[in-house]
Amino acid sequence: MYNNFAKIYDKFMKYCDYDQWSSYIKDKIEEYHPQGKTLLDLGCGTGETLIRLKENFQCSGLDLSKEMLEIAHKKLKNKGVNLFMGDMREFNTGEKYDIIISLFDTVNHLTSIEDLEDLFSAVKGSLNENGIYIFDVVDRKFMEAMFPGGIYYDERKDMTIIWEHSREDDLDFVEANFFVKNKNNTYDKYKEYYEKKIFDRSEIEKAVKKNDLSLLTVAKNDKIAGERYFYVVKKS
Ligand SMILES: C[S@@+](CC[C@H](N)C(=O)[O-])C[C@H]1O[C@@H](n2cnc3c(N)ncnc32)[C@H](O)[C@@H]1O
């Protein structure tokens, strides 16, 4: 997951307005933890959010994918941002943070309630007292809008993507073949496969409670990248 795909992730995400995204997160921090100074981006990917938040916070990032981190490292070299390779279900960077974030449905990459509980447990262990965790998840409606049939094409100027989507039990399976136009006007092919789980609000609330964290708010946002739900959870 996110290895070969890392090479074209930023091109694929070109439509995503990270500036808008980052100011939305800054507003949430201002509202729920204005004194927060240190921030960890869990599932930081290629570092697009960290680039935008590093002026306001002392930032760090963590991701499972070495390839995504290599790209983040190129962008953030000598910029005072620490990057870690690790699993969000069991990470420990040796530091504690005022704010932890996980954006662009990174949490939906977990595939069981146990994984979700492990995530909150690891987050709790790495938050300072009164620290907050902000993350977004997508729901079934989003998945249906994104994958309208078992198979469909997304044709863009410089790439064509063939998506195959299926569901079994409570998991979604996504396979994408990317055909990316190169300098020679031929196409390079990249393949990506991942599983996703749609957690409903009561499952998230239960996992939050089980870890003695408090849910401060759940906000729907459909202005940035489809309809998403942003949760803010606090350690106190
Ligand atoms: C949809 S991308 C989002 C990346 C970034 N947050 C953004 O907004 O562009 C999901 C990221 O989560 C990472 N990821 C998936 N499972 C993970 C895990 N268990 N621990 C840490 N990172 C994980 C992937 O490698 C990928 O970089």
Side-chain angles (χ1 to χ4, degrees):
M1 193 168 63
Y2 291 91
N3 33 47
N4 211 16
F5 182 41
K7 291 188 197 131
I8 55 159
Y9 183 79
D10 285 344
K11 203 179 177 72
F12 169 64
M13 293 291 277
K14 216 165 56 184
Y15 74 93
C16 177
D17 190 339
Y18 280 100
D19 287 340
Q20 206 187 342
W21 193 279
S22 303
S23 46
Y24 184 76
I25 295 304
K26 278 188 225 163
D27 289 348
K28 287 267 171 274
I29 296 171
E30 188 52 38
E31 190 173 352
Y32 292 103
H33 197 16
Q35 307 82 3
K37 288 188 175 51
T38 53
L39 180 147
L40 172 69
D41 184 356
L42 265 191
C44 63
T46 60
E48 283 298 313
T49 311
L50 287 171
I51 289 174
R52 288 160 176 84
L53 295 181
K54 69 176 173 24
E55 305 303 334
N56 302 78
F57 306 97
Q58 193 186 314
C59 284
S60 302
L62 181 141
D63 204 281
L64 194 56
S65 159
K66 181 169 156 276
E67 291 80 2
M68 294 293 264
L69 283 171
E70 277 167 3
I71 295 171
H73 177 70
K74 279 188 197 142
K75 297 176 192 170
L76 293 161
K77 205 164 42 183
N78 304 323
K79 302 239 172 10
V81 176
N82 291 322
L83 294 174
F84 302 92
M85 194 160 99
D87 189 322
M88 60 184 169
R89 293 167 296 184
E90 53 175 20
F91 71 96
N92 178 358
T93 65
E95 298 284 329
K96 290 200 185 222
Y97 305 89
D98 300 327
I99 305 143
I100 300 182
I101 61 172
S102 290
L103 300 183
F104 217 87
D105 51 78
T106 292
V107 169
N108 290 110
H109 285 297
L110 301 177
T111 55
S112 68
I113 298 289
E114 292 72 31
D115 282 355
L116 188 67
E117 289 171 358
D118 289 346
L119 164 72
F120 290 135
S121 164
V123 163
K124 186 180 176 190
S126 289
L127 274 177
N128 285 322
E129 239 8 71
N130 297 317
I132 57 168
Y133 179 40
I134 307 175
F135 62 95
D136 71 294
V137 289
V138 295
D139 63 2
R140 177 59 49 210
K141 199 168 138 203
F142 176 98
M143 292 302 277
E144 275 160 18
M146 171 131 188
F147 305 109
I151 180 161
Y152 88 101
Y153 301 93
D154 176 0
E155 236 180 314
R156 303 183 186 183
K157 210 173 106 220
D158 50 2
M159 74 164 76
T160 298
I161 311 156
I162 302 173
W163 296 98
E164 288 177 67
H165 171 248
S166 60
R167 276 177 74 187
E168 207 179 303
D169 300 327
D170 58 353
L171 288 185
D172 288 59
F173 302 91
V174 178
E175 190 175 310
N177 283 289
F178 296 79
F179 299 88
V180 182
K181 207 177 238 179
N182 60 32
K183 287 193 290 249
N184 307 321
N185 247 354
T186 58
Y187 287 83
D188 298 321
K189 183 179 173 199
Y190 300 84
K191 202 180 185 79
E192 175 65 2
Y193 170 81
Y194 54 80
E195 293 171 10
K196 269 192 164 172
K197 181 165 165 60
I198 302 302
F199 297 104
D200 63 37
R201 183 172 168 158
S202 65
E203 290 172 326
I204 294 173
E205 279 179 354
K206 222 165 145 186
V208 164
K209 216 164 163 190
K210 193 164 177 183
N211 280 287
D212 281 326
L213 293 161
S214 332
L215 178 58
L216 297 185
T217 179
V218 186
K220 183 165 109 175
N221 183 306
D222 57 4
K223 304 278 181 298
I224 307 174
E227 194 171 291
R228 288 162 185 279
Y229 292 85
F230 283 82
Y231 286 69
V232 183
V233 164
K234 185 177 177 185
K235 171 175 171 175
S236 51

